[in-house]
Coordinates of all heavy atoms in Angstrom, one line a residue:
M19 N 0.8 -1.2 0.0 CA 0.0 0.0 0.0 C 0.8 1.2 -0.1 O 0.5 2.2 -0.7 CB -0.9 0.0 1.2 CG -1.9 1.1 1.4 SD -3.3 0.8 0.3 CE -4.5 1.2 1.5
V20 N 1.9 1.2 0.8 CA 2.9 2.3 0.8 C 3.5 2.6 -0.4 O 3.7 3.7 -1.0 CB 3.9 2.2 2.0 CG1 4.9 3.3 1.9 CG2 3.2 2.1 3.4
A21 N 3.9 1.6 -1.2 CA 4.6 1.6 -2.5 C 3.7 2.2 -3.5 O 4.0 3.0 -4.3 CB 5.1 0.2 -3.0
W22 N 2.5 1.8 -3.5 CA 1.3 2.3 -4.3 C 1.2 3.9 -4.2 O 1.1 4.6 -5.0 CB 0.1 1.6 -4.1 CG -1.0 2.0 -5.0 CD1 -1.1 1.8 -6.3 CD2 -2.2 2.7 -4.6 NE1 -2.3 2.4 -6.8 CE2 -2.9 2.9 -5.8 CE3 -2.6 3.2 -3.3 CZ2 -4.1 3.7 -5.6 CZ3 -3.8 3.9 -3.4 CH2 -4.5 4.2 -4.5
L23 N 1.1 4.2 -2.8 CA 1.0 5.6 -2.6 C 2.1 6.5 -3.1 O 1.8 7.5 -3.7 CB 0.8 5.8 -1.1 CG 0.6 7.3 -0.6 CD1 -0.9 7.8 -1.2 CD2 0.5 7.3 1.0
V24 N 3.4 6.0 -2.8 CA 4.5 6.7 -3.2 C 4.6 6.9 -4.8 O 4.8 7.9 -5.4 CB 5.8 6.0 -2.8 CG1 7.1 6.6 -3.4 CG2 5.9 6.1 -1.3
L25 N 4.2 5.7 -5.4 CA 4.1 5.7 -6.9 C 3.1 6.7 -7.5 O 3.3 7.6 -8.4 CB 3.8 4.3 -7.6 CG 5.0 3.3 -7.5 CD1 4.5 2.0 -7.8 CD2 6.1 3.8 -8.4
I26 N 2.0 6.8 -6.9 CA 0.9 7.7 -7.2 C 1.4 9.2 -7.0 O 1.2 10.0 -7.9 CB -0.4 7.4 -6.4 CG1 -1.0 6.2 -6.8 CG2 -1.4 8.6 -6.6 CD1 -1.5 6.1 -8.2
L27 N 2.0 9.4 -5.9 CA 2.5 10.9 -5.7 C 3.6 11.2 -6.7 O 3.6 12.4 -7.2 CB 3.0 10.9 -4.2 CG 2.0 10.9 -3.1 CD1 2.7 10.9 -1.7 CD2 1.1 12.0 -3.3
I28 N 4.5 10.4 -6.9 CA 5.6 10.6 -8.0 C 5.0 10.8 -9.4 O 5.3 11.7 -10.1 CB 6.7 9.7 -7.9 CG1 7.4 9.6 -6.6 CG2 7.6 9.8 -9.1 CD1 8.4 8.5 -6.4
Q29 N 4.1 9.9 -9.7 CA 3.3 10.0 -11.0 C 2.5 11.2 -11.2 O 2.4 11.7 -12.3 CB 2.4 8.8 -11.3 CG 3.3 7.5 -11.5 CD 2.5 6.2 -11.8 OE1 1.3 6.2 -11.3 NE2 2.9 5.2 -12.5
G30 N 2.0 11.7 -10.1 CA 1.3 13.0 -10.0 C 2.1 14.2 -10.3 O 1.6 15.1 -10.9
T31 N 3.3 14.2 -9.9 CA 4.2 15.4 -10.2 C 5.0 15.3 -11.3 O 5.5 16.3 -11.9 CB 5.2 15.5 -8.9 OG1 6.0 14.3 -8.8 CG2 4.5 15.8 -7.7
L32 N 5.1 14.2 -11.9 CA 6.0 13.9 -13.2 C 5.5 14.7 -14.3 O 6.4 15.3 -15.0 CB 6.2 12.4 -13.4 CG 7.3 12.0 -14.3 CD1 8.7 12.5 -13.7 CD2 7.3 10.5 -14.5
P33 N 4.2 14.7 -14.7 CA 3.8 15.5 -15.8 C 4.1 17.0 -15.6 O 4.3 17.7 -16.8 CB 2.2 15.3 -15.7 CG 1.9 13.9 -15.1 CD 3.1 14.0 -14.1
V34 N 4.2 17.5 -14.5 CA 4.6 19.0 -14.5 C 6.0 19.1 -14.8 O 6.2 20.1 -15.5 CB 4.4 19.4 -12.9 CG1 4.9 20.8 -12.8 CG2 2.8 19.2 -12.5
A35 N 6.8 18.2 -14.4 CA 8.3 18.3 -14.7 C 8.4 18.2 -16.3 O 9.2 18.8 -16.9 CB 9.1 17.2 -14.0
I36 N 7.7 17.2 -16.9 CA 7.7 17.0 -18.3 C 7.3 18.3 -19.1 O 7.9 18.6 -20.0 CB 6.9 15.8 -18.7 CG1 7.5 14.5 -18.2 CG2 6.7 15.7 -20.2 CD1 6.7 13.3 -18.4
V37 N 6.2 19.0 -18.6 CA 5.7 20.1 -19.3 C 6.8 21.3 -19.1 O 7.2 21.9 -20.0 CB 4.4 20.7 -18.6 CG1 4.1 22.0 -19.1 CG2 3.3 19.6 -19.1
F38 N 7.4 21.4 -17.9 CA 8.4 22.4 -17.7 C 9.6 22.1 -18.6 O 10.2 23.0 -19.2 CB 9.0 22.3 -16.3 CG 10.0 23.3 -15.9 CD1 9.7 24.6 -15.7 CD2 11.3 22.8 -15.7 CE1 10.7 25.5 -15.5 CE2 12.3 23.6 -15.4 CZ 12.1 25.0 -15.3
M39 N 10.1 20.8 -18.8 CA 11.2 20.5 -19.6 C 10.8 20.7 -21.1 O 11.7 21.0 -21.9 CB 11.7 19.1 -19.4 CG 12.5 19.0 -18.2 SD 13.8 20.3 -17.9 CE 14.8 20.1 -19.5
T40 N 9.6 20.5 -21.6 CA 9.3 20.7 -22.9 C 9.3 22.2 -23.3 O 9.8 22.5 -24.3 CB 7.7 20.2 -23.0 OG1 7.8 18.8 -22.8 CG2 7.4 20.4 -24.5
R41 N 9.0 23.0 -22.2 CA 9.0 24.4 -22.5 C 10.6 24.8 -22.6 O 11.0 25.6 -23.4 CB 8.5 25.1 -21.3 CG 8.4 26.7 -21.5 CD 7.9 27.3 -20.2 NE 9.2 27.2 -19.4 CZ 9.3 27.9 -18.2 NH1 8.4 28.8 -18.0 NH2 10.4 27.7 -17.4
N42 N 11.4 24.2 -21.8 CA 12.9 24.5 -21.9 C 13.3 24.0 -23.3 O 14.2 24.7 -23.9 CB 13.6 23.9 -20.8 CG 13.4 24.6 -19.6 OD1 12.9 25.7 -19.5 ND2 13.8 23.9 -18.4
V43 N 12.9 22.9 -23.7 CA 13.3 22.4 -25.1 C 12.9 23.4 -26.1 O 13.7 23.8 -27.0 CB 12.9 21.0 -25.5 CG1 12.9 20.6 -26.8 CG2 13.5 19.9 -24.6
V44 N 11.6 23.8 -26.1 CA 11.1 24.9 -27.1 C 12.0 26.2 -27.0 O 12.3 26.7 -28.1 CB 9.7 25.0 -27.0 CG1 9.1 26.1 -27.8 CG2 8.9 23.7 -27.3
D45 N 12.1 26.6 -25.9 CA 12.9 27.7 -25.6 C 14.4 27.7 -26.1 O 14.9 28.7 -26.7 CB 12.8 28.2 -24.2 CG 11.6 28.7 -23.7 OD1 10.7 28.9 -24.5 OD2 11.5 28.8 -22.4
S46 N 15.0 26.6 -25.9 CA 16.3 26.5 -26.4 C 16.4 26.4 -28.0 O 17.4 26.9 -28.5 CB 17.1 25.2 -25.8 OG 16.4 24.0 -26.3
L47 N 15.4 25.7 -28.5 CA 15.4 25.6 -30.0 C 15.0 27.1 -30.5 O 15.4 27.5 -31.7 CB 14.4 24.7 -30.5 CG 14.7 23.3 -30.3 CD1 13.6 22.4 -30.7 CD2 16.0 22.8 -31.0
A48 N 14.1 27.8 -29.9 CA 13.7 29.1 -30.5 C 15.0 30.0 -30.3 O 15.1 31.0 -31.1 CB 12.6 29.7 -29.5
G49 N 15.8 29.9 -29.2 CA 17.0 30.7 -29.2 C 18.2 30.4 -30.1 O 19.1 31.1 -30.0
F50 N 18.0 29.4 -30.7 CA 19.1 28.8 -31.6 C 19.2 29.8 -32.7 O 18.4 30.0 -33.4 CB 19.0 27.3 -32.0 CG 20.0 26.9 -32.9 CD1 21.2 26.6 -32.4 CD2 19.7 26.6 -34.2 CE1 22.2 26.2 -33.3 CE2 20.6 26.2 -35.1 CZ 22.0 26.0 -34.7
N51 N 20.5 30.3 -33.0 CA 20.8 31.1 -34.1 C 21.2 30.3 -35.3 O 22.2 29.6 -35.2 CB 21.9 32.1 -33.6 CG 22.0 33.2 -34.7 OD1 21.5 33.1 -35.7 ND2 23.0 34.1 -34.4
R52 N 20.5 30.3 -36.2 CA 20.8 29.5 -37.4 C 21.9 29.9 -38.2 O 22.5 29.2 -38.9 CB 19.6 29.6 -38.4 CG 18.4 28.9 -37.9 CD 17.2 28.8 -39.0 NE 15.9 28.2 -38.5 CZ 15.8 26.8 -38.6 NH1 16.6 26.1 -39.2 NH2 14.8 26.4 -38.2
H53 N 22.4 31.0 -37.9 CA 23.7 31.5 -38.7 C 24.9 30.9 -37.9 O 26.0 31.1 -38.6 CB 23.7 33.1 -38.7 CG 22.5 33.7 -39.3 ND1 22.3 33.6 -40.7 CD2 21.6 34.4 -38.8 CE1 21.2 34.2 -40.9 NE2 20.7 34.7 -39.8
N54 N 24.8 30.3 -36.9 CA 26.1 29.7 -36.3 C 26.5 28.5 -37.0 O 27.6 28.0 -36.7 CB 25.7 29.4 -34.8 CG 25.7 30.6 -34.0 OD1 26.1 31.7 -34.4 ND2 25.0 30.5 -32.8
G55 N 25.6 27.8 -37.7 CA 26.0 26.6 -38.5 C 25.7 25.4 -37.7 O 25.3 25.5 -36.6
V56 N 26.0 24.2 -38.4 CA 25.6 22.9 -37.9 C 26.5 22.6 -36.6 O 26.0 21.9 -35.7 CB 25.6 21.8 -38.9 CG1 25.3 20.5 -38.3 CG2 24.8 22.1 -40.1
S57 N 27.7 23.0 -36.5 CA 28.6 22.5 -35.4 C 28.1 22.9 -34.1 O 28.4 22.3 -33.1 CB 30.0 23.2 -35.8 OG 29.9 24.6 -35.6
N58 N 27.3 24.0 -34.0 CA 26.8 24.5 -32.7 C 25.4 23.9 -32.3 O 24.9 24.1 -31.2 CB 26.5 26.0 -32.7 CG 28.0 26.6 -32.6 OD1 29.0 26.1 -32.1 ND2 28.0 27.9 -33.3
I59 N 24.9 22.9 -33.1 CA 23.6 22.3 -32.8 C 23.6 21.5 -31.4 O 22.7 21.5 -30.7 CB 23.2 21.5 -34.0 CG1 22.7 22.3 -35.1 CG2 21.8 20.6 -33.6 CD1 22.3 21.6 -36.4
L60 N 24.7 20.9 -31.3 CA 24.8 20.0 -30.1 C 25.5 20.6 -28.9 O 26.2 19.9 -28.2 CB 25.5 18.6 -30.5 CG 24.7 17.7 -31.5 CD1 25.5 16.5 -31.8 CD2 23.3 17.3 -30.8
T61 N 25.3 21.8 -28.8 CA 25.9 22.5 -27.6 C 25.2 22.1 -26.3 O 24.1 21.6 -26.4 CB 25.8 24.1 -27.7 OG1 24.5 24.4 -27.9 CG2 26.6 24.5 -29.0
F62 N 25.9 22.3 -25.3 CA 25.4 22.0 -24.0 C 23.9 22.6 -23.7 O 23.1 22.0 -23.2 CB 26.4 22.2 -22.9 CG 26.0 21.8 -21.7 CD1 26.1 20.5 -21.1 CD2 25.5 22.7 -20.7 CE1 25.6 20.1 -19.8 CE2 25.2 22.3 -19.3 CZ 25.2 21.0 -19.0
K63 N 23.9 23.9 -24.0 CA 22.6 24.6 -23.7 C 21.5 24.0 -24.5 O 20.4 24.0 -23.9 CB 22.8 26.1 -24.1 CG 21.7 27.0 -23.6 CD 21.9 28.3 -23.9 CE 20.8 29.2 -23.5 NZ 21.1 30.6 -23.8
I64 N 21.7 23.5 -25.7 CA 20.6 22.9 -26.4 C 20.3 21.4 -26.2 O 19.3 20.9 -26.1 CB 20.8 23.1 -28.0 CG1 20.8 24.6 -28.2 CG2 19.8 22.3 -28.8 CD1 21.2 25.0 -29.7
A65 N 21.4 20.7 -26.0 CA 21.3 19.3 -25.8 C 20.7 18.8 -24.4 O 20.2 17.9 -24.3 CB 22.7 18.6 -26.0
L66 N 21.1 19.6 -23.4 CA 20.8 19.3 -22.0 C 19.3 19.2 -21.9 O 18.8 18.1 -21.3 CB 21.3 20.2 -21.0 CG 21.0 19.8 -19.6 CD1 21.6 18.6 -19.2 CD2 21.5 21.1 -18.6
P67 N 18.3 20.1 -22.4 CA 17.0 19.9 -22.1 C 16.4 18.7 -22.8 O 15.5 18.1 -22.3 CB 16.4 21.3 -22.7 CG 17.5 22.2 -22.7 CD 18.8 21.5 -22.8
F68 N 17.1 18.4 -24.0 CA 16.6 17.1 -24.8 C 16.9 15.9 -23.9 O 16.2 15.0 -23.8 CB 17.2 17.1 -26.1 CG 16.6 17.9 -27.2 CD1 17.1 19.0 -27.6 CD2 15.4 17.5 -27.7 CE1 16.5 19.9 -28.4 CE2 14.8 18.3 -28.8 CZ 15.4 19.5 -29.1
V69 N 18.0 15.9 -23.3 CA 18.4 14.7 -22.6 C 17.6 14.6 -21.3 O 17.1 13.5 -21.0 CB 19.9 14.8 -22.2 CG1 20.4 13.7 -21.1 CG2 20.9 14.7 -23.5
V70 N 17.4 15.7 -20.6 CA 16.6 15.6 -19.4 C 15.1 15.2 -19.7 O 14.4 14.5 -19.0 CB 16.6 17.0 -18.6 CG1 15.7 17.0 -17.5 CG2 18.0 17.2 -18.2
L71 N 14.6 15.8 -20.8 CA 13.2 15.5 -21.2 C 13.1 14.0 -21.5 O 12.1 13.2 -21.2 CB 12.8 16.3 -22.4 CG 11.3 16.1 -22.9 CD1 10.4 16.3 -21.9 CD2 11.2 16.8 -24.1
G72 N 14.2 13.4 -22.3 CA 14.1 12.1 -22.6 C 14.1 11.1 -21.4 O 13.4 10.2 -21.2
L73 N 15.0 11.5 -20.5 CA 15.1 10.8 -19.2 C 13.9 10.9 -18.4 O 13.4 9.8 -17.7 CB 16.2 11.3 -18.3 CG 17.7 11.0 -18.7 CD1 18.7 11.8 -18.0 CD2 17.9 9.5 -18.9
L74 N 13.2 11.9 -18.3 CA 11.9 12.1 -17.7 C 10.8 11.2 -18.4 O 10.0 10.5 -17.6 CB 11.4 13.5 -17.7 CG 12.0 14.5 -16.7 CD1 11.5 15.9 -16.9 CD2 11.7 14.0 -15.3
L75 N 10.7 11.1 -19.6 CA 9.8 10.3 -20.3 C 10.1 8.8 -20.1 O 9.1 8.0 -19.9 CB 9.8 10.6 -21.8 CG 9.3 12.0 -22.2 CD1 9.6 12.3 -23.6 CD2 7.9 12.1 -21.8
I76 N 11.3 8.4 -20.0 CA 11.7 7.1 -19.7 C 11.2 6.7 -18.3 O 10.7 5.6 -18.0 CB 13.3 6.7 -19.9 CG1 13.5 6.9 -21.4 CG2 13.6 5.4 -19.3 CD1 15.0 6.8 -21.7
F77 N 11.5 7.7 -17.4 CA 11.2 7.5 -16.0 C 9.7 7.2 -15.8 O 9.2 6.5 -15.0 CB 11.8 8.5 -15.1 CG 11.6 8.4 -13.7 CD1 12.3 7.4 -13.0 CD2 10.9 9.3 -13.0 CE1 12.1 7.1 -11.6 CE2 10.8 9.2 -11.6 CZ 11.3 8.1 -10.9
E78 N 8.9 8.1 -16.6 CA 7.5 8.0 -16.6 C 7.1 6.6 -16.9 O 6.1 5.9 -16.2 CB 6.9 9.1 -17.5 CG 5.3 9.0 -17.6 CD 4.8 9.9 -18.5 OE1 5.3 10.2 -19.5 OE2 3.7 10.6 -18.1
K79 N 7.7 5.9 -18.0 CA 7.3 4.7 -18.4 C 7.6 3.6 -17.4 O 6.9 2.6 -17.2 CB 7.9 4.2 -19.8 CG 7.4 5.1 -20.9 CD 6.0 4.9 -21.1 CE 5.4 5.7 -22.2 NZ 4.0 5.6 -22.4
I80 N 8.7 3.8 -16.8 CA 9.3 2.8 -15.7 C 8.2 2.9 -14.5 O 7.9 1.9 -14.0 CB 10.6 3.2 -15.2 CG1 11.6 2.8 -16.4 CG2 11.0 2.4 -14.0 CD1 13.1 3.3 -16.1
L81 N 7.8 4.2 -14.2 CA 6.9 4.2 -13.1 C 5.4 3.6 -13.4 O 4.8 3.1 -12.6 CB 6.6 5.7 -12.6 CG 7.9 6.2 -11.9 CD1 7.5 7.9 -11.6 CD2 8.1 5.6 -10.6
Q82 N 5.1 3.8 -14.7 CA 3.8 3.2 -15.1 C 3.9 1.6 -15.0 O 2.9 0.9 -14.5 CB 3.5 3.4 -16.6 CG 3.0 4.9 -16.8 CD 2.7 5.3 -18.1 OE1 3.1 4.5 -19.0 NE2 2.2 6.5 -18.4
S83 N 5.0 1.0 -15.5 CA 5.3 -0.4 -15.3 C 5.3 -0.8 -13.8 O 4.7 -1.8 -13.5 CB 6.5 -0.8 -16.0 OG 6.5 -0.6 -17.3
A84 N 5.9 0.0 -12.9 CA 6.1 -0.4 -11.5 C 4.6 -0.4 -11.0 O 4.3 -1.2 -10.0 CB 7.1 0.5 -10.8
G85 N 3.8 0.7 -11.3 CA 2.3 0.8 -10.9 C 1.6 -0.4 -11.2 O 0.9 -1.0 -10.4
K86 N 1.7 -0.9 -12.4 CA 1.1 -2.0 -12.9 C 1.5 -3.3 -12.1 O 0.6 -4.2 -11.6 CB 1.3 -2.3 -14.4 CG 0.6 -1.4 -15.2 CD 1.0 -1.7 -16.6 CE 0.2 -0.7 -17.6 NZ 0.6 -0.9 -19.1
W87 N 2.8 -3.4 -11.8 CA 3.3 -4.5 -11.0 C 2.7 -4.5 -9.6 O 2.4 -5.5 -9.0 CB 4.9 -4.4 -11.0 CG 5.5 -5.5 -10.3 CD1 5.6 -6.8 -10.8 CD2 6.2 -5.4 -9.1 NE1 6.2 -7.5 -9.7 CE2 6.7 -6.6 -8.8 CE3 6.6 -4.4 -8.2 CZ2 7.4 -6.9 -7.6 CZ3 7.1 -4.6 -7.1 CH2 7.7 -5.9 -6.7
V88 N 2.8 -3.3 -8.9 CA 2.2 -3.1 -7.5 C 0.7 -3.5 -7.6 O 0.3 -4.2 -6.6 CB 2.6 -1.8 -7.0 CG1 1.8 -1.5 -5.7 CG2 4.0 -1.6 -6.8
R89 N 0.1 -3.0 -8.5 CA -1.5 -3.2 -8.5 C -1.7 -4.8 -8.7 O -2.6 -5.4 -8.2 CB -2.1 -2.5 -9.6 CG -2.4 -1.1 -9.3 CD -3.2 -0.4 -10.3 NE -2.8 -0.5 -11.6 CZ -1.9 0.4 -12.2 NH1 -1.6 1.4 -11.5 NH2 -1.6 0.2 -13.5
T90 N -0.9 -5.5 -9.6 CA -1.0 -7.0 -9.7 C -0.7 -7.7 -8.4 O -1.5 -8.5 -8.1 CB -0.1 -7.4 -10.8 OG1 -0.3 -6.8 -12.0 CG2 -0.1 -8.9 -11.1
I91 N 0.3 -7.3 -7.8 CA 0.7 -7.9 -6.5 C -0.4 -7.7 -5.5 O -0.8 -8.7 -4.8 CB 1.9 -7.4 -5.9 CG1 3.2 -8.1 -6.9 CG2 2.3 -7.8 -4.5 CD1 4.5 -7.5 -6.5
Q92 N -1.0 -6.5 -5.4 CA -2.0 -6.2 -4.4 C -3.2 -7.1 -4.7 O -4.0 -7.7 -3.9 CB -2.4 -4.8 -4.5 CG -1.4 -3.9 -3.7 CD -1.8 -2.4 -3.9 OE1 -2.5 -2.0 -4.6 NE2 -1.2 -1.6 -2.8
S93 N -3.6 -7.2 -6.0 CA -4.8 -7.9 -6.4 C -4.6 -9.4 -6.1 O -5.5 -10.2 -5.8 CB -5.2 -7.7 -7.7 OG -4.3 -8.2 -8.7
E94 N -3.4 -9.9 -6.3 CA -3.1 -11.3 -6.0 C -3.2 -11.6 -4.6 O -3.8 -12.7 -4.1 CB -1.8 -11.8 -6.6 CG -1.7 -11.8 -8.1 CD -0.4 -12.3 -8.6 OE1 0.6 -12.4 -7.8 OE2 -0.3 -12.4 -9.8
R95 N -2.6 -10.6 -3.7 CA -2.7 -10.8 -2.3 C -4.3 -10.8 -1.7 O -4.6 -11.6 -1.0 CB -2.0 -9.8 -1.5 CG -0.5 -10.0 -1.6 CD 0.3 -9.0 -0.8 NE 1.7 -9.4 -0.8 CZ 2.5 -8.9 0.1 NH1 2.1 -7.9 1.0 NH2 3.7 -9.1 -0.1
I96 N -5.1 -10.0 -2.4 CA -6.5 -9.9 -1.9 C -7.1 -11.0 -2.4 O -7.9 -11.7 -1.6 CB -7.1 -8.6 -2.6 CG1 -6.6 -7.4 -1.8 CG2 -8.6 -8.8 -2.5 CD1 -7.0 -6.1 -2.6
Q97 N -6.8 -11.6 -3.6 CA -7.4 -12.9 -4.0 C -7.1 -14.0 -3.1 O -8.0 -14.9 -2.8 CB -7.1 -13.1 -5.6 CG -7.7 -14.2 -6.1 CD -7.3 -14.5 -7.7 OE1 -6.5 -13.8 -8.1 NE2 -8.0 -15.4 -8.4
D98 N -5.8 -14.1 -2.7 CA -5.3 -15.2 -1.8 C -6.0 -15.1 -0.5 O -6.4 -16.1 0.1 CB -3.8 -15.2 -1.7 CG -3.0 -15.6 -3.0 OD1 -3.7 -16.2 -3.9 OD2 -1.9 -15.3 -3.1
Y99 N -6.2 -13.9 0.0 CA -6.9 -13.7 1.3 C -8.3 -14.2 1.2 O -8.8 -14.9 2.1 CB -6.7 -12.3 1.7 CG -7.4 -11.9 3.0 CD1 -7.0 -12.4 4.2 CD2 -8.7 -11.3 3.0 CE1 -7.6 -12.2 5.4 CE2 -9.4 -11.0 4.1 CZ -8.8 -11.5 5.3 OH -9.5 -11.1 6.5
M100 N -9.1 -13.7 0.2 CA -10.4 -14.1 0.0 C -10.6 -15.6 -0.2 O -11.5 -16.2 0.3 CB -11.1 -13.3 -1.2 CG -11.1 -11.8 -1.0 SD -11.9 -11.4 0.5 CE -13.6 -11.7 0.0
T101 N -9.6 -16.3 -0.9 CA -9.7 -17.7 -1.1 C -9.5 -18.4 0.1 O -10.2 -19.4 0.4 CB -8.7 -18.1 -2.2 OG1 -8.8 -17.5 -3.4 CG2 -8.7 -19.6 -2.4
G102 N -8.6 -17.9 1.0 CA -8.4 -18.4 2.3 C -9.6 -18.3 3.2 O -9.9 -19.3 3.9
L103 N -10.3 -17.2 3.2 CA -11.4 -17.1 3.9 C -12.5 -18.0 3.5 O -13.3 -18.6 4.3 CB -12.0 -15.6 3.7 CG -11.2 -14.5 4.5 CD1 -11.8 -13.1 4.3 CD2 -11.2 -14.8 6.0
I104 N -12.7 -18.3 2.2 CA -13.6 -19.1 1.6 C -13.3 -20.6 2.1 O -14.2 -21.4 2.4 CB -13.8 -19.0 0.0 CG1 -14.3 -17.7 -0.3 CG2 -14.5 -20.1 -0.5 CD1 -14.2 -17.4 -1.6
H105 N -12.0 -20.9 2.0 CA -11.6 -22.2 2.4 C -12.0 -22.5 4.0 O -12.3 -23.6 4.3 CB -10.1 -22.5 2.1 CG -9.9 -22.8 0.5 ND1 -9.3 -23.9 0.1 CD2 -10.4 -22.2 -0.4 CE1 -9.2 -23.9 -1.1 NE2 -9.9 -22.8 -1.6
D106 N -11.8 -21.5 4.7 CA -12.0 -21.5 6.2 C -13.4 -21.8 6.5 O -13.8 -22.4 7.5 CB -11.5 -20.3 6.8 CG -10.0 -20.2 7.0 OD1 -9.3 -21.3 6.7 OD2 -9.5 -19.1 7.2
Q107 N -14.3 -21.3 5.7 CA -15.8 -21.4 5.8 C -16.1 -22.8 5.4 O -17.0 -23.5 6.0 CB -16.5 -20.4 5.0 CG -16.4 -19.1 5.3 CD -17.1 -18.7 6.6 OE1 -18.0 -19.3 7.0 NE2 -16.5 -17.8 7.3

């Protein structure tokens, strides 16, 4: 139950971080000066928001999988408990 609660809280704040990083990605692309040439495309200022956004999206998928796993375990425990109660009757 505690793991499920922690996952829900983190999953609730993650979309805010993704929106914030998406804004940073758009801002970094908007500030890119096309006259600098191709060599400056992968500068730290431009690449960092992309990397952080990618990591956040991967983390979101991992949390979704962990949430499914926790829900499956909880449902199996409830099912085992109910089966035990039925067998005791």
